[in-house]
Amino acid sequence: MEDLGVRAEAGLSKNEVRKRRERHGPNRLREARRRSVLRIALVQFRSVVILILVAAGALAVATAKWPEAIALAAVIVVNAGIGFVSEWRAARSMEALRRLGRRRVRVRRGKQERSVPVTALVPGDVVIFDGGDIVPADLRLIEANNLHVNEAALTGEAMPVRKNTDRVEENTPLAERANTLFKGTTITEGSGEGVVTATGMNTELGRIAELAEGAESETTPLQKHLDRLGSRLAWLTLVIAAIVALAGLAAGQPMLLMIETAIALGVAAIPEGLPIVATIALARGMWLMARRQALVNRLTAVETLGATRIILTDKTGTLTENRMTVRRVLTPAAEHTIGDDTDGLDDDALARRLLKVGVLCNNASIPEDDGEEALEQGALGDPTEVALLEAGARLDLRRDDLLERLPEAKEHAFDPDMMMMATVHEDGEDHLVAVKGAPQAVLEKCTALAGDDADKRRELDDDERRRWETRAEDLAEDGYRVLAFADRRVDQPDTDPYADLRFLGLLGLHDPPREKIEETIAACRAAGVRVVMVTGDQPKTARAVGGSINLADRDGPDAVLGRDLRAPEELSEQERQRVLDASIFARVSPEQKLDLVSVYQAEGEVVAMTGDGVNDAPALKKADIGVAMGKRGTDAAREAADMVLKDDRLATIVAAIREGRIIFRNIRKSVMFMLCTNLAEIIAVAGASLVGAPLPLRPLQILYLNVLTDVFPALAFGVGKGDDRVMHRPPRPADEAVLTRRHWLSIGGWSVVISACVLAGLTIALQGLGLQREAAVTVSFLTLGFAKLWFVLNLRDADTSPWRNDVVGNPWMWLAIVGCAVLLLAAVYLPGLSDILRTRAPGVSGWSVILGLSVLPMLAGQGILVIRAAAARRADAGDSGQEPESQPRKQKGAS
C-alpha cells in the first residue's frame, strides 16, 4: 500500500487516478488484430457462387461474347462487393455490441464506493468484489472472507483455490500465490478487497497471452445451411447445363447456341442474394435486440430464440422490481408494520438491535445523503442488503458510523448451503457476532431468544422455535421475503459464528411485481411459451408472488422443492410428470437448476434459463438460451450466457423471442422467393433448349433480373418488421429446417407455374403475335421480371388478410417493387441499355401478354391462400375438443 501510495479506507483521489491513467493507460489487453479490409475482400472470391460466375465469364471471353463477359465481370464485382460490405458491417456490429456490454467494477475512491468501468482501473485502486465477479486486474488482497477463486483461465487448474492475505515468499510460483488475484480469473465464493498492482498488458494474463478481443464475423448454423444450399443449387445447375448441352449437340444444335445456353443456365443458378440475407437479417436483429436492452453474445442465440418453448426465470428482479423495502419487523417484544415512516421503531430497543445486526452483517453501501433519490441512484450491492442499510439509515444506524465503534474483525461470506452469513466485530474486549439468513437455518443454530431488553436472553425451546417458523411462513404466504437475525458475544474472532446464537427476530421485505408483468406472462401463453418460476426463496413466498401475477393458480399445486429435482433418468414417471406440470420451483440451488434444465430438454423442449450467480454458469451453458441479468448478474454469469438483459426484465426476453421468430420467418421467405424465381429461370431455359425452341432469356437478361429482382425484394423480406400475430402462434420445433418438405413442394410447384408463364409468353409472342425473335424474347424476359415482383405477395401467411399482412405492410418491399419495375422499363426503353440487353419494345399487344401472364401466378397464389385459410377456419370450428391456447408438449424425437 505504501509503494502504491494509497490507504485502503480512502482509496485514490480523482486527480491521482487521472495522473495514473495517463501514465499506465487503460486497463485492457492489447486487442487482437482486426481483419483487414483486403482480407475480407479476398475471402469473397472463395465461394462456389463466385467461381461459377468466373467460369461463365471465361467462357464468354473464349467465345468473344464481350457484352456478356463485361456484364459477368460487373456482377462478380457487385456480388463480392455486397458480401464484403455485409461481412465488414457484421464484424463491426459485433465490436459495437461488445462495447455495449463492457463490465464495471466496484472501487473505493475519495472515501466513497463507486462503480467504474473495468478499463478505468489504475494501479493503487482499491477494488471490492464478491462471488461471481471476474477479477478485473492483478490484485494484492487486503481482505479475504472465505475467498475461493477459479484460476483455470491462467493456470489450467480446474478446482477453485482458497485465497488469504498472508505473506508469501518473493519467488513463490504463480499458482501458489494465495494472497494475489489475477486478471481474468473468477471469484467462485466469498468476498474481499484488494489493491490493484498491475493493469492491462502488465498483468500476468497480459504477459502470458494476447487475448483476441477484435470482432470476427461468427458464422451461424443458419448461415452455413444457406451457404450449402446455394452451393448445391449451383452444382446441380452445372449438371443440368452439361446434360442440356450434350442433348442439344446430339440433336444437331449449333455449338455457339449450346455455349450460350450453358452460360445462361450457369448464371440462372446463382442466387446472388442468398449468401447475404442471413447476415443482414441477423445483424439487424441483434441491433434491434440491443435497442430493447437485450445484448446478444452469440449469433446462434438469435436463431434459437424463435423456437423457445420454456422460460425458466428467477423471481427477484425479473418477475419483481428488485426494489426491496423493509415492511415488517417482528421481535420477541413487538411487531411493527413500516410504511414511509418508522413510527414505533425508535423506542423499541430490540427492533433497533435487529436492524443494527442487519446493517453490520452487510456488504452493500449507500450514499451518506438521506434523500430517497440519492439512495436509489448511489446504492451498490445486493438489493436485499441495500434495503437493510436504508432501513437502518432511517433510524440513524449508519454502517460507517457503526464500523467506527465496532470495527469488522472477520467476515464469513454467505454460504448457499448453510443459507447464512456472519460478520465478527470488535466490541471492547469482546467480539460481537452478527448473523442473518434464512429463518429455518438461523433458528436451527439458535439456543436462546432475545428478551424484552436488547441485552437479555432466555432459552429457546422447540415449541418457541416452531412458533417462529410458523410466523416466518405466514409472512412468506403474504408475499414477503423473510430474513432472520441473530447475535452472540464471543472472546475470540475465530470462534464458530453459527453456534449458540441468540435469536433477535424476523424482517419481512417487500418486492413489488414488475409493471405489466401479468400482460407479459399472458403474451407468453398466447405464443405457446411457458413461464416457470425457479427461485431460491421460500415456497410460500414464491407461491404468493406467483399467484399475484397469475403465473400459477392460487389454489393449484404447491411449489416443487429443489430437493425433489434429480436427473431425468432418476425420476419416476409420477415425479417426472409433477416436475413438468409445475409452474413454480422453490428453494432451488444452482446445481438443481441444471437437473431441471435436463428434465425439460429430455422432453424435447427448447429452454431459456435466467441466472445471475457464478454457480448459475453451468445451467446457463446447459440451457438452449442462457440469459444473464445485466444489473444484478455476476460477471461469470454474463460471460457464460448467450444473452444479457440490461434491464433484467422478463418482457425483454419475450421481445427477444418475438424478434427471433420474425428473423427466422423473414429469412425463410427470402430463401423461398429466391429459389422459386431462380428455379423458374432454370426450368424455362432448360425446357426451351431441350425442345429446340429459342431461349426465352439471354445470359445478360438473366444477370439483369437476378441482380435487381432477386436481391432487392429478398433484402426487403430480410428487414421486414414481421406479422403482429407472430406471438399468437406456437413456436417452431427446434430441429425444423429453414425449408421443410412442404416448402420444397411449394418451391417446385411455383417454379413450374412461373416458368410455364414465361414459355407461354415466348410462344404467344412468336406464333400468336408474330413478333420478331428479339421482341418475343423481350416479352418472355419482362413476363419473368414482373412475375417475380408480383410473386412476393404470395409469401404472406395463409391466416392473414390479402390487404393487411407483413408483406403488404413492409414499406421496403414496395420501394423494391417500384424501383425494380422502373429498372425493367429502363431495360426496354433506355437507349444503350436496351442495346446491351438486346431488348425491343413489345408494343401494346406484347404488354397485354406480359401483364396478363405475369400476374397469373400471383392470382393463383392468392386464391390458394384464401382456400387454405377458409379450410383452417372450418377445421378450428369443428375441433371443439381442443383449447386454442393449449399446445401439445413436443415429445423427444418428434419432427
Side-chain angles (χ1 to χ4, degrees), residues 1-9 124 126 140 142 195:
M1 301 292 284
E2 289 177 2
D3 287 344
L4 291 165
V6 64
R7 289 184 297 117
E9 65 274 11
V126 177
R140 170 62 161 91
I142 54 179
V195 61

Side-chain angles (χ1 to χ4, degrees), residues 23-43:
R23 186 161 66 248
H24 296 279
N27 173 38
R28 59 169 172 248
L29 299 177
R30 191 162 47 247
E31 292 189 354
R33 214 176 194 178
R34 293 170 64 175
R35 295 177 70 194
S36 68
V37 171
L38 179 61
R39 184 181 172 194
I40 295 176
L42 291 175
V43 167

Side-chain angles (χ1 to χ4, degrees), residues 532-600:
V532 178
M533 181 196 297
V534 184
T535 179
D537 218 331
Q538 300 180 68
K540 293 194 174 181
T541 303
R543 284 285 306 145
V545 173
S548 69
I549 60 176
N550 288 331
L551 177 66
D553 188 351
R554 291 177 182 271
D555 300 323
D558 291 336
V560 174
L561 296 179
R563 64 171 180 261
D564 297 329
L565 292 174
R566 296 188 298 280
E569 61 274 10
E570 297 176 9
L571 293 173
S572 67
E573 181 60 29
Q574 184 177 0
E575 290 172 330
R576 185 186 63 84
Q577 197 60 49
R578 181 172 177 241
V579 169
L580 293 174
D581 292 340
S583 296
I584 298 174
F585 295 85
R587 282 290 186 248
V588 178
S589 69
E591 293 77 12
Q592 291 160 346
K593 286 183 180 181
L594 202 60
D595 289 331
L596 182 58
V597 171
S598 298
V599 170
Y600 280 114

